[in-house]
Amino acid sequence: MFPSPVPIYTDGSDAEDHVSSAFVIRHRKKRNIHHQTQLSLAANAIILAGVVCVWLQPCDLPSPQFTRDTLKGHSRPESSSRSAFLDQRDTLWMRSAGAWRDAGLHGLLDEITNSAEEVPRFLAVGSACVLALLRWASSFHGSLFPHLTLSSDEMVAEFSQMLDWSDSALRSFAWHPHTDKFAVALLDDSIRIYKSNSSATPTLKHRCQRSVCALQWKPLCGSALAVACQSCLLIWHVDPTSLSTRYCSNTSVSLSLSLSLSLSVSPITSIAWSPTGSLLVSASPVDTAMMVWDVAAESAVPLQRVGGGGVTYLSWSPDGSRLLAATPSALFRVWETRMWTCERWPCLKGSCQSACWSPDGGCLLLSMQGERVIYALTFSDLTGGSKAASVVADLSETSFPGPDGDLTVGGEVCSLSWDPRGERLAVLLKGDSQAVNHPSVIAVFKTRSSPVFELLPCGFVMGEAGAEPRFMQFHPHFQHGALLTVCWSDGRISHVPFYFSSAGLLGGDSPQQALASNTADHSSNKLYTEQIS
Amino acid sequence: MKCACARPNSHFIYFQVVIWRAVASIAWSVLLLPVTATVFVLLSRFSPFHPIQWISDCTSLLAASSTIFSLVVLCGVVLITGFFNLEFYTLVPSIPCSRMALLGTVLHPRQCVHSLVYCTMGMLVMWCASVTIGGRYSTLGTPCRQSQSGEVVTCLNEYHLFILLAGAFMGYSHSFLGVVQNMYYVSFQPIQQYKYPRFKGCLPMVVKCSVIQALYSARNFAAFYFFFGYAPKTWISSTLNLQIDSSLQPLDSLTGFLDFSLLYHLSISGTFLYLTWYLTVLLFRIYVTEVLKCEGFTVGYIKATDICVVPVLKMILMFLALQDLALLSQHSLSRRLEVFSLSQPGGHAHNWNAISRECLSLLSELTQRLVAHQDAIASNGRVKSQSASSDTRSASSSCSGKTPRLSVPLRTPGSVFKSSVGGANSALVAPFTPDVDSPFSSPAIRRLVGQQDPQSPCFGTVQSPHIMRRGPKLWSASTGSSRFSVIPLHGLETPVNSCSCHTLNCSAQVKSFLAKRVLIMYLFNKLPEASSQALFADSQAHIWALQGLSHLVAASFSEDQFGVVQTTLPNILSCLVVLLEAVDRHFKLPHASSKPVRTICSMGDSTYKTLRFALRAALKTAIYKITTTFGEHLNAVNISTEHRKRLQQFLEFKD
């Protein structure tokens, strides 16, 4: 079954169901197309095997590797360190104040209930009742939205774009939109910044910088980096001309979610800068409101919509006109950013896992949790766009002949990334850890948006033995084609260049020349093409 | 020029835009009143153990004639509140530079009238509330039995009096906090929303604010009544010849305050009172800051001469026009094309020229203001060494060098002791000066300050004494491009110089004398950051101008068919770079880059405190927008070498 990219026929097929804006899934079973594409994919794989092994350094990009042993995460939260000290009985007031400070209302009630012999009876009973009521309400809420019962770290791991977040040495990754530098968040809650042609790697550390889930550089700015942490949003100013390598609290601004109405500590799992750099949107899975920050003025506007139970993933279209907000339940919203109204897109099953916009902002590709297809939505200011999402690719398991037996490829679509020119689409496919020959791979497609949207299979990117891709992002302005940066499960960051001339210029039909190289270490490196051929 | 806002008659436009918006907001507040009143009735009679009786009681009460009358009175209150909103609102906040200046603002006659009216309205609302709650609160006099004789006389109902006084207290504290927290400052949101979603989004915040404010006020009033409650009580009882019921516990005692029901009703009524006012303010803000929908381009028509006539009125139009410019430059292709188009006979780029001229003059005016501020600080250093006084307070005093064209209600934080004009006595009135040009001020105050009124039609309403004092210094830095201001200011230089020479000694003595008194030091000490905040108080306009210009210039790269933007590109770039240098230098001053404390929950808008950071970010983003769009083509633009060097940093993302 793999891969069967079905081109969208924008003329007739969309006119079929203008019934509702509900997320109608349309599987198109066209056997003949499957055969053709499968053939073309095999041919492509052979071509790739043939032209391989021209080692090309795309440019002098650093590709560091981090192992779990060298990085020590926080083993325990701050409050649990209390057990290391002698137990001393404070007065009730002191303990209540401490509980209020540490854990809010919940902690205070808990403390009062636990010290029933010291407080008046009615107070103890009353607080026990209120506590029971709160617990009942939260469990009821949790039964509606199961993700609310997760702990903060589990929630970050669940909704982070980095797969296996809790297990990984790399926590998050972000390219600078204009220069050759990137930021990496690590297991020990520090952030390192790597620049090309520079050996200095500034390290950013902050007391509040815990469980970093997302990073993003501010567009149209040389220095500002937004960090989504467990309890707040940090904005770092990393002076590009400065030579200092350690940054701490004084160069950052912490934007706490004081405007948020939620009582509990809410981990921020997604942030998105507007392409003009003027606004920053942040979201948390426990808060139905997403905050639109004017960062310099430190003011925020909450945008609240009931339903969905929170916001897990944000993605701003490259032209700045729309913003995707996915929720933990089977629903996502697309906001238009002029008057900030939203379209509701209920899905049939599963929440939105990952998404990417086409460079002109007219097309949105989505993947759903647990599904093996890619959906497309088109938007247009003139016609209003499509009324239903259509399936553009079916990525079910299929096997290819490899050097060491057959290789099974395909599975759940975990992550999508579209290169800034709109010519390559990388799709991270989850493998099966139980099966022998079914690793996680990145499938790369050639894309064309005119005259009709097309996906053509191009090849696979696989890591070394035992290394699985965890995160990928295209370089925002690679001169000679596209450059895919992949974070691997062994803590390595590598860059895979695709050299091509723009298909639009050459008529789009020329067989492209894709060369893949792992720039990290030449001797120990294995190309994906070696494994295929 | 298809819409009303492109017509030259600005009075008409003002009426069309602002008055109608205010009227609509007041109408909505009146319509919301029955809703809030119903909620108040339900809460005030809340009895969880008799739900059916509770509901039926409330229903019958809502239909009663007393409630209808109360609603009519409340409508009157809302109307007056709306009128005050319209009268007092400001787009540029008043920032007092010292505690004395703040005190001056609070004691200002206009503010006193405001407080008085709000006290009365607070009493009225609380009277309505007490009538609605009924029971022991309903009337001022109650029949009671005298302890000795046993005959029935009319006694003073202390509960009613307590509630009424609480209303007056809350009214005054609302009026007072309005000044301190800049309640009447209207800020624009970073994003545009429709009115209803915005109202819905703000409603929880407003309810929370009013509850918190009511609780604070209730606490403060309880303390107040505990100490001073005896006086109004005896006064009322003696005036109205009411007995004081000695069988009841007096309320100004500790046991009197343990009445839970009284405190509950006090806080509920207080919440209702504040909610009524806050909702009116909120609706007014939402309506006034709504985007002005214009199909033509709007900025060019706002001429300098127009703004001088009635400055406060025109400020809102200028803000709305600039906001519209920023939006059209980002979102509307067709309107951008209109901006880049040429006039049909003649082929002049009138639209673009007008827009770029207005925006550039706005920005260069800010540059001049910053440069003047820096000059003032530098020169103050010299003055300090001459006078040998240990006065560091005036070191960072500022006088915002503003061109009269724009000087609308910009509060300049003046130095407290900067008394080069008035001599010894002006040291005492000087604290009032920063607010001279605020809407609170009157010509009388200005005369009090000892300021000559230039009697020029353009300067009459907006002149600040600082401009006259430091006229020469201010304009020494300004280039010839400031076409509006040079001539009248030169006329004022002579008296200033002659005057200041005589009084320099005297003022130094007064300063050194007063500096030794602790209380005076406390009152006159400059608040940190105030001068910085005041310099950038109207920077929202500059931010929009920057956004509009940069987006238009960036769009012109692909959309400008006739190359109209190319001719002004060197001007724009050098203007931006000069402004950036001035801003960078400003942020090196003490206190300029310190972040203000964020307020947790108040209706007062504190956006103005961070406007300078927003301006800096907007400026850098604007330059980046232009440099990333044009890239290497910028090397062909004819600008000076230093500016090119600075732009090169932006091209390499090194800034």
Side-chain angles (χ1 to χ4, degrees):
Chain A
M1 283 288 285
F2 176 83
S4 57
V6 183
I8 300 179
Y9 298 106
T10 46
D11 42 5
S13 55
D14 280 338
E16 290 167 14
D17 34 23
H18 277 268
V19 224
S20 68
S21 67
F23 197 5
V24 183
I25 297 169
R26 294 178 298 173
H27 288 279
R28 287 190 225 151
K29 302 287 180 192
K30 290 187 180 174
R31 285 284 162 197
N32 50 353
I33 290 180
H34 286 184
H35 285 299
Q36 281 171 11
T37 48
Q38 213 157 352
L39 279 175
S40 73
L41 184 105
N44 255 328
I46 293 164
I47 289 172
L48 286 170
V51 290
V52 88
C53 296
V54 184
W55 291 104
L56 282 172
Q57 289 290 97
C59 46
D60 191 15
L61 291 175
S63 30
Q65 180 170 14
F66 305 95
T67 52
R68 283 184 62 89
D69 309 330
T70 55
L71 306 166
K72 257 191 184 165
H74 285 278
S75 52
R76 52 174 59 150
E78 218 168 68
S79 56
S80 70
S81 61
R82 198 181 298 154
S83 59
F85 296 94
L86 282 179
D87 186 32
Q88 191 188 357
R89 298 299 288 176
D90 287 332
T91 60
L92 179 68
W93 286 112
M94 295 291 287
R95 274 183 286 136
S96 304
W100 172 265
R101 199 181 53 236
D102 288 344
L105 181 66
H106 218 277
L108 179 68
L109 291 174
D110 214 21
E111 183 66 47
I112 292 176
T113 317
N114 287 339
S115 47
E117 68 274 12
E118 291 175 62
V119 293
R121 190 177 151 68
F122 74 93
L123 201 60
V125 172
S127 67
C129 288
V130 173
L131 198 61
L133 204 66
L134 276 181
R135 282 191 181 138
W136 178 80
S138 80
S139 71
F140 176 69
H141 200 193
S143 68
L144 288 179
F145 300 109
H147 69 276
L148 293 178
T149 53
L150 299 176
S151 79
S152 180
D153 266 347
E154 287 167 347
M155 206 176 307
V156 172
E158 171 78 28
F159 296 114
S160 170
Q161 284 296 297
M162 179 74 69
L163 306 177
D164 270 332
W165 179 88
S166 48
D167 186 40
S168 173
L170 302 169
R171 285 298 171 72
S172 189
F173 174 91
W175 271 110
H176 190 275
H178 306 287
T179 56
D180 278 336
K181 66 176 170 188
F182 59 82
V184 192
L186 301 174
L187 181 65
D188 61 351
D189 292 332
S190 67
I191 293 174
R192 302 216 182 141
I193 291 164
Y194 289 86
K195 296 172 206 167
S196 68
N197 310 318
S198 165
S199 58
T201 54
T203 308
L204 315 180
K205 283 187 177 178
H206 194 277
R207 188 171 47 84
C208 300
Q209 192 170 288
R210 291 283 175 84
S211 307
V212 176
C213 189
L215 295 173
Q216 202 175 13
W217 292 89
K218 180 179 175 181
L220 297 178
C221 181
S223 59
L225 172 72
V227 182
C229 312
Q230 196 174 43
S231 58
C232 66
L233 190 60
L234 284 172
I235 310 290
W236 289 94
H237 286 278
V238 189
D239 189 357
T241 53
S242 158
L243 292 175
S244 68
T245 52
R246 289 186 71 82
Y247 287 80
C248 45
S249 312
N250 53 3
T251 49
S252 69
V253 180
S254 135
L255 301 171
S256 65
L257 285 176
S258 60
L259 289 168
S260 164
L261 293 173
S262 71
L263 284 172
S264 55
V265 176
S266 52
I268 299 172
T269 59
S270 189
I271 45 177
W273 285 96
S274 73
T276 55
S278 52
L279 298 173
L280 174 70
V281 186
S282 71
S284 165
V286 295
D287 196 352
T288 50
M290 55 182 201
M291 312 295 280
V292 183
W293 293 91
D294 182 352
V295 170
E298 293 180 32
S299 63
V301 181
L303 285 177
Q304 192 145 26
R305 285 291 183 278
V306 183
V311 179
T312 54
Y313 178 69
L314 295 167
S315 170
W316 211 304
S317 74
D319 64 342
S321 61
R322 285 183 184 83
L323 175 75
L324 169 88
T327 66
S329 49
L331 170 79
F332 65 94
R333 294 188 179 88
V334 179
W335 294 80
E336 61 84 25
T337 58
R338 189 167 180 187
M339 292 308 283
W340 290 93
T341 53
C342 68
E343 288 175 30
R344 244 174 91 96
W345 289 87
C347 322
L348 287 188
K349 49 181 175 179
S351 59
C352 176
Q353 170 93 9
S354 176
C356 61
W357 289 90
S358 67
D360 61 350
C363 180
L364 174 67
L365 298 185
L366 299 150
S367 70
M368 299 292 145
Q369 200 163 32
E371 287 195 55
R372 296 165 182 199
V373 289
I374 301 176
Y375 298 96
L377 274 175
T378 52
F379 294 93
S380 156
D381 286 329
L382 301 173
T383 60
S386 55
K387 301 281 186 237
S390 49
V391 179
V392 289
D394 185 353
L395 302 170
S396 313
E397 285 93 346
T398 185
S399 60
F400 289 91
D404 342 312
D406 277 3
L407 187 70
T408 313
V409 168
E412 185 184 341
V413 179
C414 293
S415 178
L416 292 165
S417 184
W418 208 333
D419 100 89
R421 296 189 188 192
E423 307 218 4
R424 292 290 180 278
L425 175 75
V427 182
L428 208 166
L429 298 171
K430 199 175 193 175
D432 186 357
S433 52
Q434 311 297 326
V436 185
N437 280 328
H438 190 188
S440 295
V441 293
I442 295 173
V444 182
F445 295 88
K446 284 193 278 183
T447 54
R448 210 165 24 174
S449 54
S450 65
V452 289
F453 181 77
E454 272 186 340
L455 279 180
L456 294 170
C458 173
F460 303 116
V461 179
M462 289 167 67
E464 298 173 38
E468 293 199 331
R470 289 281 163 82
F471 183 83
M472 57 184 188
Q473 191 174 40
F474 274 103
H475 190 289
H477 55 98
F478 188 59
Q479 299 293 325
H480 317 288
L483 177 74
L484 182 69
T485 302
V486 186
C487 300
W488 301 95
S489 59
D490 58 356
R492 184 186 293 274
I493 294 171
S494 63
H495 309 284
V496 185
F498 299 87
Y499 292 96
F500 57 87
S501 331
S502 189
L505 300 173
L506 294 175
D509 229 2
S510 65
Q512 49 81 43
Q513 189 188 19
L515 297 173
S517 73
N518 198 328
T519 57
D521 188 1
H522 296 182
S523 56
S524 69
N525 228 337
K526 278 185 186 171
L527 271 175
Y528 66 89
T529 43
E530 290 173 359
Q531 296 192 350
I532 290 174
S533 57
Chain B
M1 323 229 180
K2 294 165 194 160
C3 72
C5 58
R7 292 175 58 171
N9 187 347
S10 42
H11 277 280
F12 174 73
I13 303 159
Y14 180 75
F15 183 81
Q16 185 107 356
V17 175
V18 182
I19 303 286
W20 270 115
R21 287 180 173 194
V23 167
S25 74
I26 293 171
W28 273 108
S29 331
V30 170
L31 286 180
L32 278 176
L33 202 56
V35 181
T36 49
T38 311
V39 174
F40 170 67
V41 165
L42 285 176
L43 284 178
S44 65
R45 301 242 164 157
F46 184 61
S47 60
F49 302 112
H50 308 95
I52 297 175
Q53 194 194 352
W54 170 47
I55 298 288
S56 62
D57 266 6
C58 291
T59 329
S60 60
L61 182 64
L62 283 174
S65 60
S66 68
T67 316
I68 305 293
F69 179 70
S70 299
L71 272 182
V72 172
V73 172
L74 289 174
C75 284
V77 168
V78 167
L79 288 179
I80 295 172
T81 316
F83 172 75
F84 269 93
N85 285 340
L86 179 62
E87 190 65 15
F88 275 74
Y89 87 96
T90 168
L91 297 167
V92 181
S94 86
I95 297 163
C97 66
S98 65
R99 291 178 183 84
M100 197 62 204
L102 190 61
L103 200 62
T105 321
V106 172
L107 297 179
H108 193 279
R110 190 171 143 136
Q111 181 58 30
C112 289
V113 171
H114 183 267
S115 304
L116 204 65
V117 172
Y118 266 85
C119 280
T120 321
M121 289 201 298
M123 282 177 86
L124 274 177
V125 175
M126 280 306 203
W127 179 80
C128 295
S130 62
V131 167
T132 313
I133 297 169
R136 59 180 183 176
Y137 302 101
S138 52
T139 52
L140 189 59
T142 47
C144 63
R145 195 174 294 277
Q146 266 191 330
S147 51
Q148 308 98 319
S149 56
E151 60 182 315
V152 175
V153 291
T154 318
C155 286
L156 176 71
N157 182 3
E158 203 181 347
Y159 294 106
H160 189 80
L161 180 70
F162 184 78
I163 293 279
L164 284 192
L165 285 179
F169 182 84
M170 286 174 180
Y172 184 75
S173 63
H174 178 79
S175 163
F176 176 75
L177 287 178
V179 175
V180 175
Q181 298 179 344
N182 268 317
M183 186 91 74
Y184 286 108
Y185 166 57
V186 176
S187 73
F188 287 79
Q189 277 202 314
I191 59 172
Q192 275 70 50
Q193 280 178 283
Y194 289 110
K195 291 192 285 287
Y196 175 63
R198 198 178 152 195
F199 176 75
K200 212 171 61 175
C202 291
L203 195 58
M205 191 267 295
V206 168
V207 172
K208 195 174 138 194
C209 279
S210 45
V211 169
I212 289 176
Q213 193 58 48
L215 288 177
Y216 273 119
S217 294
R219 185 198 64 185
N220 295 345
F221 176 69
F224 176 82
Y225 193 79
F226 181 72
F227 290 111
F228 304 106
Y230 181 74
K233 197 166 67 174
T234 42
W235 181 64
I236 292 280
S237 65
S238 61
T239 318
L240 298 180
N241 201 15
L242 295 169
Q243 305 288 318
I244 289 181
D245 193 351
S246 50
S247 64
L248 287 175
Q249 187 71 37
L251 280 179
D252 51 347
S253 64
L254 278 180
T255 43
F257 279 128
L258 289 180
D259 188 347
F260 177 73
S261 146
L262 176 71
L263 291 183
Y264 173 71
H265 282 130
L266 178 63
S267 34
I268 285 287
S269 325
T271 308
F272 175 63
L273 171 72
Y274 279 117
L275 190 65
T276 317
W277 284 340
Y278 286 171
L279 276 181
T280 320
V281 172
L282 174 72
L283 283 167
F284 182 78
R285 282 184 190 167
I286 290 176
Y287 267 87
V288 161
T289 58
E290 198 195 352
V291 180
L292 188 61
K293 289 198 181 66
C294 285
E295 283 305 318
F297 85 100
T298 54
V299 175
Y301 89 97
I302 297 193
K303 295 288 187 301
T305 47
D306 283 349
I307 288 177
C308 273
V309 184
V310 249
V312 187
L313 306 191
K314 292 308 159 298
M315 197 69 175
I316 177 77
L317 289 185
M318 193 185 76
F319 269 64
L320 289 173
L322 283 169
Q323 185 190 30
D324 187 57
L325 174 73
L327 289 177
L328 86 87
S329 67
Q330 285 179 47
H331 295 295
S332 170
L333 173 68
S334 59
R335 292 180 64 193
R336 279 200 301 266
L337 290 180
E338 194 180 339
V339 168
F340 298 139
S341 67
L342 299 181
S343 65
Q344 198 44 37
H348 297 285
H350 287 307
N351 293 356
W352 168 252
N353 287 342
I355 285 178
S356 62
R357 188 181 59 234
E358 288 298 321
C359 290
L360 286 183
S361 66
L362 203 62
L363 295 177
S364 59
E365 171 267 330
L366 178 67
T367 314
Q368 286 165 17
R369 196 196 293 172
L370 291 176
V371 168
H373 178 68
Q374 286 145 15
D375 279 3
I377 289 179
S379 64
N380 273 349
R382 284 198 295 277
V383 167
K384 188 176 124 191
S385 59
Q386 284 169 6
S387 67
S389 85
S390 61
D391 174 29
T392 54
R393 281 144 290 156
S394 59
S396 55
S397 81
S398 92
C399 131
S400 311
K402 47 194 178 176
T403 55
R405 184 180 65 85
L406 256 182
S407 52
V408 205
L410 179 79
R411 274 36 142 236
T412 57
S415 147
V416 170
F417 288 117
K418 181 158 299 309
S419 50
S420 51
V421 175
N425 59 341
S426 82
L428 292 172
V429 291
F432 296 91
T433 55
D435 217 37
V436 159
D437 44 359
S438 80
F440 297 98
S441 68
S442 63
I445 276 291
R446 250 177 250 122
R447 259 173 258 125
L448 182 75
V449 172
Q451 164 188 351
Q452 313 95 309
D453 203 341
Q455 297 298 328
S456 130
C458 191
F459 286 83
T461 51
V462 295
Q463 187 58 281
S464 147
H466 307 297
I467 289 185
M468 293 190 298
R469 277 189 225 134
R470 11 175 94 255
K473 203 168 294 155
L474 224 156
W475 301 107
S476 63
S478 74
T479 57
S481 66
S482 165
R483 60 206 150 108
F484 311 102
S485 50
V486 177
I487 299 161
L489 277 171
H490 277 299
L492 293 171
E493 279 176 24
T494 340
V496 172
N497 288 337
S498 57
C499 196
S500 61
C501 296
H502 291 297
T503 55
L504 195 65
N505 256 342
C506 192
S507 69
Q509 283 174 5
V510 172
K511 273 186 219 173
S512 58
F513 170 76
L514 288 178
K516 288 171 190 145
R517 305 295 180 273
V518 177
L519 176 68
I520 293 179
M521 280 282 281
Y522 174 78
L523 284 178
F524 284 77
N525 245 344
K526 262 188 72 63
L527 300 171
E529 290 183 51
S531 61
S532 246
Q533 283 176 13
L535 268 178
F536 290 95
D538 62 343
S539 280
Q540 186 63 60
H542 303 117
I543 291 171
W544 281 325
L546 283 168
Q547 284 177 350
L549 263 190
S550 64
H551 280 108
L552 281 176
V553 169
S556 77
F557 189 69
S558 55
E559 292 169 10
D560 181 12
Q561 297 169 350
F562 308 107
V564 293
V565 176
Q566 279 180 23
T567 53
T568 41
L569 195 53
N571 268 344
I572 292 173
L573 283 173
S574 52
C575 176
L576 293 184
V577 172
V578 168
L579 178 58
L580 181 68
E581 279 165 4
V583 169
D584 279 350
R585 236 176 296 139
H586 179 83
F587 272 93
K588 293 200 175 99
L589 299 179
H591 294 305
S593 53
S594 57
K595 299 268 176 184
V597 186
R598 257 169 279 159
T599 47
I600 303 301
C601 185
S602 85
M603 265 309 271
D605 203 329
S606 58
T607 327
Y608 63 90
K609 290 182 182 167
T610 47
L611 267 180
R612 57 184 187 280
F613 303 104
L615 179 93
R616 182 172 62 169
L619 178 59
K620 286 192 171 175
T621 310
I623 299 179
Y624 271 123
K625 180 92 193 163
I626 296 175
T627 53
T628 47
T629 314
F630 281 80
E632 293 303 315
H633 298 289
L634 281 183
N635 293 329
V637 179
N638 183 21
I639 45 174
S640 69
T641 5
E642 307 97 79
H643 293 174
R644 191 181 302 284
K645 221 176 278 173
R646 196 71 213 265
L647 285 180
Q648 192 60 35
Q649 287 184 352
F650 278 89
L651 276 172
E652 291 163 5
F653 282 89
K654 288 272 168 62
D655 203 280

